[in-house]
Amino acid sequence: MSYKNSLKLFVSNFALVWKQLLYSLIIVIICGLFTYLASTPIINLLNSNGIFDKISNLLQTVYTAPSEVVVTFNETMSTLGSVLSSSFGSLWGSYLGLILLGIILPNILIQMSFYNLASITYQKITMNMNVKYIQNGIQNLIPSIKYALSNILFTLPFTILQFAFIIVFINTAKTVISSLLGLIILSALLLILGSFKLAIFTGIAPNMIASNMNPFTAFGKSFVSTIKHFWLIFSMSLAVRLTIIFVNGIIALFTFFSGLAITIPSTYLFIAIFYVVTYLTSKGERYYLDDNYIYNPVKYVIKQEDYTQMNIPEIREVKITTTPIKRSGRKPKNND
């Protein structure tokens, strides 16, 4: 039900996608400019060693000689690795700037906006309040920074594991058959790993928003909740992950990747809504699906102690008796 309700709420709150898109474009422009300035020496080094030509040849091989893709890819990665490692001593500052400005900073800024989306969604579906994107982002600046920084730490093991899977695939894919089989196994592993990560992180942002927790306490709460309802949350996370992959893939294929400008911000909004909905559902709390409909995930049963709490007098059994009524002028009939 969380998946279905998340889709409904995503459609009704689609206007947030345009705000997230504008925010993402600003991040891309600013971080892209600083990253280019920091990595100019690396770009010149790769160009002088013909790395860009090899990458272009790899892309052409995908269409002209698919059977040679793996070999060409391995050769390109081997050359790239040797060039970068041999120049590390002289260009370490550029490498550091590339990592900080091209990877870490954009990730922090995006995760801050994700927290903002989750906060807006939480207020919308729990209190039916419409809050402004920028204003809410400023008000939640400190907790969003905490969330973004902790997210790097929490996701680091998953990132390392993903790279390990990819490296194993590159080293074992030597033939067409092994490449195809390895690609299937790699895709399955990455899908399961991504779904598991999505599942255990569902409650971090909502717990921080609802209870003003620090990220580490919120992570503990999220992990415990996931373990209690693991297969349900994992199955829904798997459905969410498959939906994201399918939609992004189809849109990218038929729009020559230009449609990703819409689907990527949509992905962040959809996951934020899914996090909040899953959190509220696991807590058994009601939330708005629209202005006129409230979804109650748990059917509440009135218990005996509720009468005491609400000062409702206890209802006792009353014995009902009847008395014949005397009518003037005649005796009442005996129906027995």
Side-chain angles (χ1 to χ4, degrees):
M1 188 59 70
S2 295
Y3 176 80
K4 181 180 178 181
N5 290 344
S6 297
L7 285 176
K8 291 180 179 179
L9 289 167
F10 169 75
V11 173
S12 61
N13 292 275
F14 190 81
L16 285 172
V17 172
W18 306 114
K19 299 176 183 179
Q20 182 67 18
L21 172 60
L22 179 60
Y23 177 88
S24 301
L25 289 176
I26 293 174
I27 290 176
V28 169
I29 293 172
I30 295 176
C31 293
L33 177 60
F34 285 111
T35 301
Y36 176 77
L37 294 175
S39 60
T40 298
I42 301 175
I43 295 174
N44 294 333
L45 175 68
L46 297 178
N47 188 39
S48 62
N49 285 272
I51 299 299
F52 294 121
D53 293 334
K54 290 182 177 294
I55 294 176
S56 177
N57 182 44
L58 174 63
L59 296 176
Q60 293 178 3
T61 304
V62 174
Y63 299 98
T64 58
S67 59
E68 300 178 5
V69 169
V70 177
V71 176
T72 306
F73 179 80
N74 289 336
E75 292 177 353
T76 302
M77 292 297 103
S78 177
T79 305
L80 177 63
S82 62
V83 170
L84 293 178
S85 59
S86 62
S87 61
F88 181 79
S90 58
L91 298 177
W92 66 268
S94 295
Y95 290 133
L96 182 61
L98 178 62
I99 294 173
L100 291 177
L101 299 174
I103 300 176
I104 296 179
L105 180 59
N107 185 45
I108 290 175
L109 294 175
I110 286 295
Q111 291 303 321
M112 289 173 61
S113 70
F114 177 83
Y115 185 90
N116 188 29
L117 289 174
S119 176
I120 293 172
T121 301
Y122 183 85
Q123 295 176 74
K124 174 64 177 177
I125 69 176
T126 58
M127 296 175 283
N128 202 23
M129 291 177 55
N130 293 312
V131 296
K132 296 181 179 180
Y133 185 92
I134 297 177
Q135 180 181 358
N136 192 73
I138 295 174
Q139 291 175 347
N140 291 278
L141 183 62
I142 300 301
S144 66
I145 293 175
K146 292 180 180 179
Y147 174 81
L149 293 176
S150 63
N151 183 74
I152 296 176
L153 180 63
F154 293 149
T155 58
L156 183 60
F158 294 93
T159 303
I160 294 174
L161 200 55
Q162 288 173 343
F163 276 110
F165 290 156
I166 295 174
I167 291 173
V168 170
F169 167 71
I170 293 174
N171 293 329
T172 56
K174 302 299 182 182
T175 64
V176 177
I177 296 177
S178 64
S179 299
L180 293 176
L181 183 61
L183 186 60
I184 294 173
I185 297 175
L186 176 64
S187 301
L189 289 175
L190 292 178
L191 176 62
I192 294 173
L193 185 64
S195 301
F196 180 75
K197 180 178 72 172
L198 194 67
I200 66 172
F201 291 163
T202 52
I204 298 180
N207 271 305
M208 291 180 64
I209 296 165
S211 305
N212 196 26
M213 295 180 179
N214 65 70
F216 298 98
T217 304
F219 173 72
K221 292 281 188 179
S222 176
F223 185 80
V224 171
S225 177
T226 300
I227 295 301
K228 288 181 179 179
H229 312 90
F230 177 75
W231 291 113
L232 177 61
I233 296 178
F234 177 76
S235 61
M236 290 187 296
S237 300
L238 184 62
V240 168
R241 183 66 66 176
L242 287 172
T243 301
I244 292 171
I245 294 173
F246 177 78
V247 172
N248 281 275
I250 293 297
I251 296 297
L253 180 64
F254 288 98
T255 62
F256 298 98
F257 296 94
S258 61
L260 293 178
I262 303 298
T263 59
I264 291 178
S266 299
T267 297
Y268 286 111
L269 176 60
F270 183 45
I271 294 178
I273 292 174
F274 174 71
Y275 276 10
V276 175
V277 169
T278 302
Y279 166 79
L280 294 174
T281 303
S282 64
K283 299 279 288 185
E285 297 182 8
R286 299 180 299 172
Y287 54 87
Y288 287 88
L289 279 179
D290 55 48
D291 293 338
N292 301 313
Y293 181 66
I294 297 177
Y295 175 74
N296 188 3
V298 177
K299 291 184 178 179
Y300 185 72
V301 179
I302 297 179
K303 302 176 183 179
Q304 182 64 35
E305 55 266 24
D306 296 328
Y307 288 101
T308 304
Q309 295 173 0
M310 294 185 289
N311 295 321
I312 299 176
E314 184 178 358
I315 300 175
R316 300 180 181 274
E317 183 179 357
V318 179
K319 184 177 181 180
I320 301 175
T321 58
T322 59
T323 303
I325 301 175
K326 293 184 178 182
R327 299 179 183 273
S328 59
R330 61 177 180 176
K331 295 182 180 180
K333 279 188 177 183
N334 188 356
N335 294 326
D336 298 334

